């Protein structure tokens, strides 16, 4: 007897069904499959799959920061810190890593115990110190929440804000699809504002106002504005002046600012386009902005750390009502606590070795090597894209991505339609099958109608990078030839 | 200028506002505050706060399993596994921990990389092997999802099932408040069924049917039944016969079974009340149950492992429609992946050292020491509760809790009302202020009307356990005297 299914895609949660997340969508699933088939000896026109669909540096062999991992290793196995093992341990671990591990365990007890739901107090104090040193303005540990990565923080805070299905949240187009996916699940309305590709993915207050007003005319109550700075997928970095305009827009329209600043150290033009935190810019605008409502997010997954698999991050609440802070605590507590090793990595991120510490030189070298290599690879890939027929690509001020526009032929667009795919999705799938390179189609991020883009990280290994760029060039040329009108 | 708040508790997400989670509610918050005040030198009638509100063994000094932590430490710092460090490393780590760490890193690459959204394939294979060895029936790695603790799995799967606000999910009363909190956030209807305290918290199919029928009469579409076995907060362990009745109930009423089996190794009467998994019982019922829809949950936080702070667990899907499995994958992928160290601990849980391995004897001794100590402490606390005036307590077949009933005087009930609290909440708060022991009031779990209970773990340190029990006795006696009618 076969039972008829109780739960089907027709009667499941329709908001969940509606959510889309292209970064791990059809292309990524196909690339995983190819990887398995390659491992089982199947033949493809390439030897390896290169995952450029997601900012996952250590999956592409970026070496973790040694000091951070030494501390993480010691806190896992506290017997190493006992007197009887001191001699052996000191041969494998530097003294500052040992001291840090002891300090952390003094505050934490065990990495295997649930912590405070908001995050370990000692670590939140260090985050507050980091923020105040970064910005030159005070930060309060009681307004900081440690999370399982910035994604979890964004999901939690959006969940707080969405009162009903007519609540709108302004999001950039193109955007990181976490935002549209989360809003779909919450049954809220994305209110798109467009970044101007021809002006380096710039953002104007006029466009923000247009977007807000259009939503209002449609009966949408816009409650918050999400901004990603440096941008994902666009890589643009906002000027201080622009940020003041955005804050002013929010204040005038009574909109909470959600500042996704996870790429704050991925800054590739530090002279002309330095990073400014929204917190700092806000504070510089004077005491009348003290009650301005803002949440800003940071993560251990990006920057030169790249500890994605660990799931750690934090958000800082600014100007939120006390009753809301209590609710944020309550909802955090239902999941008990963020994982403790992720919290520890936040501690290390905000408090790395200092000049004079035994591990400082090595830390500095590892950090800089990654940083300067990212600058080189970003430029190399940008040049590659701009050398392709029908392709233009803004340069990257920051983050880990390029988002080139490709102009496809009528024939290619017809072939895509035939295959039941968006043109950019069709292009990316052809690239994956030909080269093993997995990117994400622009349609997954949103784009101006009748344009086609894709997002690629510039994370492939430095020693393989030339081959990687060459493979893209060859594929593109043959694709363009194949579908020439 | 003070800005009026945009987000307030009046216009936030009303479902979030409604959710309650007593395990980390008012009592726990007060206990955290006392802890801080004690540390700052304030004077209380006790020297330490004892958190019995939550099953958090390592916070009460339970030593982690050494082998597990050795592997976790090695994978954090792969330089330890290099040839040049082999001699030193082998003096600090046993050979089987080194071999396991190497094997895991071969499959994982780096613990700092995002993994497969469903969990690392190698680890899911080991989970499937564990399940099939436990049950004697096959398990399929493609139907296993690794999660950030069982809570995350329960939240995710409930989110899949709740189509609209008239969907009902059957939950036991008393229940672990994760269920009511999650259903509140999802705006779904809890459909309560009562466990019978006078029959050792037993469960009858008649009560299930009564609960289901009553919900139906109220227009509720019941789609799933959550069951916690061994029970939380009740500690009861179901018989195989009872489990067959429950499966049969689900089949006849077209209800998905959600089997929360996180306490499956916390079994204190292995002869008379052994643990049976619902998967095994289902499979034993014959091929006509093959398509029965069920999800079962497991965790690294409980058992003798107690690695709560790491956030790891898994769920196994049985009989779910393929389209639903795809949706579960998609929704998992929006959060990218469960933290990798949590996944690794799942691997260690399902594949611990075997007889003959270098670490086996130590593993076995550590495991057994915790296990037999838990049996002793459970009995000792049960006896303590049963010795109290007006208090009765069922014995614990499993899990980590006791849930005694207390009969309070009219005077105490009036005093509670005066203080704006439920009677059991009032009692627990008085206990906290007098003894430093933090428990959770029965009202947080649900209970038969006009009864009062509380939940306590039996996790305080063995060497402090007599004092702990003595403190409860003394407090109870003076509370009863103070409010004697």
């Amino acid at each position: 007897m076969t039972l008829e299914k109780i739960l089907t895609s027709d009667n499941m949660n329709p908001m969940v069904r509606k959510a889309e997340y292209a970064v791990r969508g059809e292309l990524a699933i196909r690339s995983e499959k190819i990887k398995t088939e390659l491992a089982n000896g199947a033949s493809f026109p390439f030897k390896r799959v290169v995952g450029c669909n997601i900012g996952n540096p250590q999956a592409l062999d970026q070496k973790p920061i040694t000091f951070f991992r030494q501390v993480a290793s010691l806190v896992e196995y506290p017997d190493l810190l006992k007197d009887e093992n001191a001699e052996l341990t000191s041969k494998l671990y530097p003294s500052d890593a040992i001291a840090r591990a002891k300090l952390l365990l003094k505050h934490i007890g065990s990495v295997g115990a649930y912590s405070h739901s908001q995050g370990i107090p000692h670590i939140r104090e260090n985050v507050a110190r980091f923020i105040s040193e970064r910005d030159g303005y005070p930060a309060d540990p009681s307004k900081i929440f440690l999370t399982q990565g910035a994604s979890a923080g964004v999901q939690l805070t959006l969940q707080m804000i969405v009162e009903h299905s007519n609540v709108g949240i302004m999001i950039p187009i193109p955007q990181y699809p976490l935002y549209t996916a989360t809003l779909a699940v919450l049954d809220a309305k994305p209110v798109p504002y467009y970044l101007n590709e021809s002006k380096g993915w710039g953002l104007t207050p006029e466009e923000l106002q247009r977007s807000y007003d259009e939503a209002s005319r449609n009966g949408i109550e816009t409650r918050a504005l999400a901004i990603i700075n440096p941008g994902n997928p666009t890589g643009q970095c906002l000027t201080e002046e622009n940020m003041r305009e955005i804050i002013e827009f929010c204040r005038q329209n009574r909109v909470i600012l959600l500042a996704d600043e996870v790429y704050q150290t991925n800054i590739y033009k530090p002279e002309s386009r330095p990073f400014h935190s929204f917190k700092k810019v806000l504070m510089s605008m004077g005491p009348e902005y003290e009650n301005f409502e803002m949440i800003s997010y940071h993560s251990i997954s990006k920057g030169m750390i790249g500890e994605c698999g660990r799931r750690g991050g934090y958000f800082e609440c600014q100007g939120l009502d006390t009753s809301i802070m209590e609710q944020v605590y309550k909802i955090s507590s239902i999941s008990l606590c963020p994982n403790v090793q992720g919290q520890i990595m936040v501690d290390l991120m905000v408090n790395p070795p200092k000049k004079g510490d035994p591990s400082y030189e090595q830390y500095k070298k590892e950090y800089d090597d990654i940083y300067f290599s990212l600058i080189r690879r970003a430029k190399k890939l940008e040049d590659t894209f701009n050398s392709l027929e029908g392709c233009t690509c803004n340069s990257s001020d920051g983050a880990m991505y390029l988002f080139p526009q490709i102009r496809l032929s009528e024939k290619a667009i017809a072939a895509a339609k035939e295959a039941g795919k968006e043109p950019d999705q069709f292009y990316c799938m052809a690239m994956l099958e030909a080269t093993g390179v997995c990117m994400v189609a622009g349609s997954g991020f949103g784009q101006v109608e009748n344009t086609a883009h894709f997002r690629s990280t510039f994370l492939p290994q430095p020693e393989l990078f030339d081959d990687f760029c060459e493979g893209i060039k060859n594929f593109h040329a043959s694709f363009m030839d194949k579908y020439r009108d």
Side-chain angles (χ1 to χ4, degrees), chain A:
Chain A
M1 181 190 69
T2 305
L3 300 175
E4 209 185 306
K5 294 293 175 198
I6 300 165
L7 186 65
T8 69
S9 53
D10 290 332
N11 72 355
M12 67 176 285
N13 183 331
M15 276 87 85
V16 169
R17 189 176 54 224
K18 198 173 63 179
E20 285 181 14
Y21 187 68
V23 172
R24 291 212 157 176
E26 189 193 349
L27 280 153
I29 292 169
R30 174 69 187 139
S31 84
E32 285 290 334
K33 205 155 172 220
I34 294 176
K35 216 186 278 179
T36 310
E37 288 174 18
L38 270 174
N40 295 338
S43 162
F44 285 88
F46 47 84
K47 286 202 191 71
R48 62 166 70 77
V49 169
V50 183
C52 293
N53 55 311
I54 188 164
N56 192 7
Q58 293 189 22
L60 295 172
D61 300 340
Q62 181 178 300
K63 206 178 162 309
I65 303 283
T66 302
F67 178 78
F68 293 178
R69 292 302 198 85
Q70 287 167 335
V71 175
S73 172
L74 286 164
V75 296
E76 283 291 357
Y77 185 25
D79 284 0
L80 296 178
L81 301 169
K82 284 185 178 163
D83 287 346
E84 68 249 39
N85 291 321
E87 206 191 312
L88 282 170
T89 301
S90 70
K91 287 182 182 156
L92 288 166
Y93 296 87
S95 61
D96 49 350
I98 293 171
R100 178 68 70 88
K102 283 182 176 170
L103 178 69
L104 283 166
L105 288 180
K106 186 176 140 252
H107 286 281
I108 296 170
S110 167
V111 298
Y114 293 126
S115 76
H116 192 293
S117 296
Q118 187 170 353
I120 293 153
H122 170 73
I123 296 178
R124 285 189 280 121
E125 283 165 22
N126 287 336
V127 172
R129 191 172 307 118
F130 158 79
I131 293 172
S132 66
E133 284 170 9
R134 183 194 65 190
D135 295 342
Y137 296 96
D140 177 352
S142 76
K143 298 192 170 157
I144 291 160
F145 285 77
L146 302 186
T147 59
Q148 315 235 75
S151 301
V154 168
Q155 290 171 325
L156 185 150
T157 46
L158 285 175
Q159 188 182 33
M160 296 297 297
I161 295 171
V162 174
E163 184 187 6
H164 51 67
S165 62
N166 250 345
V167 165
I169 309 288
M170 295 178 70
I171 56 165
I173 296 296
Q175 53 107 31
Y176 176 55
L178 167 68
Y179 291 92
T180 38
T182 306
L183 295 177
V185 170
L186 292 169
D187 197 23
K189 298 279 185 298
V191 175
Y193 62 90
Y194 285 81
L195 306 178
N196 189 331
E197 183 169 11
S198 67
K199 295 194 172 153
W201 298 113
L203 168 58
T204 63
E206 291 73 29
E207 169 59 13
L208 292 179
Q209 197 64 56
R210 181 209 60 74
S211 161
Y212 179 93
D213 291 344
E214 186 177 319
S216 296
R217 278 194 303 276
N218 292 324
I220 293 171
E221 300 171 26
T222 300
R223 298 266 172 94
L225 163 71
I227 196 151
I228 312 172
N229 181 45
N232 175 4
T234 54
Q236 98 286 10
C237 190
L238 299 169
T239 64
E240 224 176 324
E241 192 194 342
N242 204 185
M243 293 166 77
R244 278 193 297 268
E245 293 171 335
I246 294 163
I247 290 169
E248 199 47 46
F249 165 83
C250 289
R251 199 184 65 83
Q252 285 179 13
N253 292 279
R254 294 184 55 70
V255 158
I256 299 170
L257 181 59
L258 307 176
D260 178 340
E261 302 180 327
V262 300
Y263 296 102
Q264 60 188 261
T265 58
N266 294 98
I267 296 296
Y268 306 128
K269 301 170 187 164
E271 306 297 323
S272 60
R273 284 295 170 112
F275 171 76
H276 304 283
S277 76
F278 268 103
K279 173 88 181 294
K280 184 188 83 175
V281 174
L282 176 73
M283 290 294 132
S284 75
M285 290 170 77
E288 64 267 41
Y289 289 84
E290 212 169 66
N291 282 311
F292 184 87
E293 286 158 85
M294 178 170 88
I295 302 167
S296 39
Y297 309 87
H298 197 11
S299 166
I300 59 171
S301 300
K302 309 302 169 185
M304 270 36 79
I305 304 175
E307 291 280 357
C308 310
R310 204 170 291 273
R311 316 311 293 120
Y314 72 81
F315 61 86
E316 183 192 13
C317 303
Q318 164 66 33
L320 290 193
D321 196 61
T322 316
S323 68
I324 295 298
M325 300 291 293
E326 286 167 5
Q327 293 287 335
V328 173
Y329 173 81
K330 181 189 73 181
I331 203 83
S332 301
S333 78
I334 297 174
S335 301
L336 296 165
C337 69
N339 82 81
V340 174
Q341 276 284 14
Q343 297 188 53
I344 285 173
M345 193 57 64
V346 171
D347 186 78
L348 294 162
M349 173 176 76
V350 301
N351 191 12
K354 304 258 181 305
K355 215 164 185 164
D357 290 351
S359 295
Y360 179 75
E361 291 304 327
Q362 186 183 10
Y363 165 73
K364 180 84 170 72
K365 183 175 180 327
E366 290 174 348
Y367 190 97
D368 286 350
D369 282 353
I370 295 169
Y371 178 63
F372 291 110
S373 170
L374 282 174
I375 294 183
R376 280 192 299 273
R377 284 179 280 168
K379 182 75 181 96
K380 170 106 195 156
L381 189 58
E382 178 199 331
D383 291 345
T384 298
F385 287 146
N386 281 317
S387 78
L388 303 181
E389 179 190 352
C391 183
T392 49
C393 184
N394 282 325
S395 77
S396 174
D397 303 335
M400 291 182 168
Y401 315 99
L402 291 166
F403 195 64
Q405 181 170 170
I406 38 170
R407 285 140 197 101
L408 297 174
S409 64
E410 293 301 322
K411 210 163 156 184
I413 292 167
K417 207 172 170 185
E418 180 94 356
K421 291 194 196 308
E422 295 289 328
D424 49 10
Q425 179 82 0
F426 180 74
Y427 174 89
C428 288
M429 193 58 93
M431 168 137 37
L432 173 61
E433 298 288 348
T435 65
V437 174
C438 182
M439 295 175 172
V440 189
S443 41
F445 303 90
Q447 54 197 352
V448 170
E449 223 178 317
N450 295 322
T451 66
H453 297 76
F454 57 88
R455 186 187 82 164
S456 178
T457 72
F458 35 81
L459 295 174
Q461 296 86 326
E463 65 277 16
L464 303 174
F465 211 78
D466 285 347
D467 281 356
F468 162 69
C469 292
E470 215 46 46
I472 293 170
K473 276 188 190 170
N474 293 337
F475 158 73
H476 187 82
S478 70
F479 183 92
M480 295 304 269
D481 280 346
K482 181 170 177 187
Y483 295 105
R484 204 167 291 285
D485 286 331

